[in-house]
Amino acid sequence: MAAFTLTGLLVTSKPVDGAEVTVNGAPNGTTPATITGLAAGDVLVVLKKDGYKRVTQTVTVPASGQVNVDIQLETLYGYVSIDSNPKGAQVVLDG
């Protein structure tokens, strides 16, 4: 009987789970995600989650075994500029 070897990735995200995972452009669920059946070599892993910056990372998949990829997500900050007509309008955000 031939030995079976698993080739793949275990992708996790911090500080939160649930980031969308794509590998070489193909959707692969959300973190934490185990992706198997990959060819050995470099793959492009992308994580996306609302409220966080998109992360792109090249990962080398081994010829046999699994590589763990732990990606730190950074909070996405922004600002809002409001111009009202007529001037002086009351603006309420989030409630």
Side-chain angles (χ1 to χ4, degrees), residues 13-51:
S13 60
K14 291 183 179 178
V16 296
D17 288 332
E20 295 176 34
V21 180
T22 61
V23 177
N24 289 339
N28 280 276
T30 58
T31 57
T34 300
I35 301 123
T36 60
L38 298 170
D42 290 346
V43 295
L44 187 64
V45 176
V46 178
L47 293 189
K48 294 189 306 185
K49 184 165 179 72
D50 286 345

Side-chain angles (χ1 to χ4, degrees), residues 82-90:
I82 299 172
D83 189 19
S84 68
N85 188 6
K87 297 280 184 196
Q90 182 180 14

Side-chain angles (χ1 to χ4, degrees), residues 4-90:
F4 176 79
T5 56
L6 173 69
T7 300
L9 304 173
L10 171 61
V11 181
T12 58
S13 60
K14 291 183 179 178
V16 296
D17 288 332
E20 295 176 34
V21 180
T22 61
V23 177
N24 289 339
N28 280 276
T30 58
T31 57
T34 300
I35 301 123
T36 60
L38 298 170
D42 290 346
V43 295
L44 187 64
V45 176
V46 178
L47 293 189
K48 294 189 306 185
K49 184 165 179 72
D50 286 345
Y52 294 86
K53 292 180 182 179
R54 174 184 166 142
V55 178
T56 302
Q57 184 172 326
T58 300
V59 177
T60 301
V61 176
S64 65
Q66 175 176 290
V67 64
N68 295 335
V69 182
D70 187 27
I71 298 176
Q72 183 72 35
L73 298 175
E74 292 182 45
T75 306
L76 184 62
Y77 292 101
Y79 67 93
V80 176
S81 176
I82 299 172
D83 189 19
S84 68
N85 188 6
K87 297 280 184 196
Q90 182 180 14

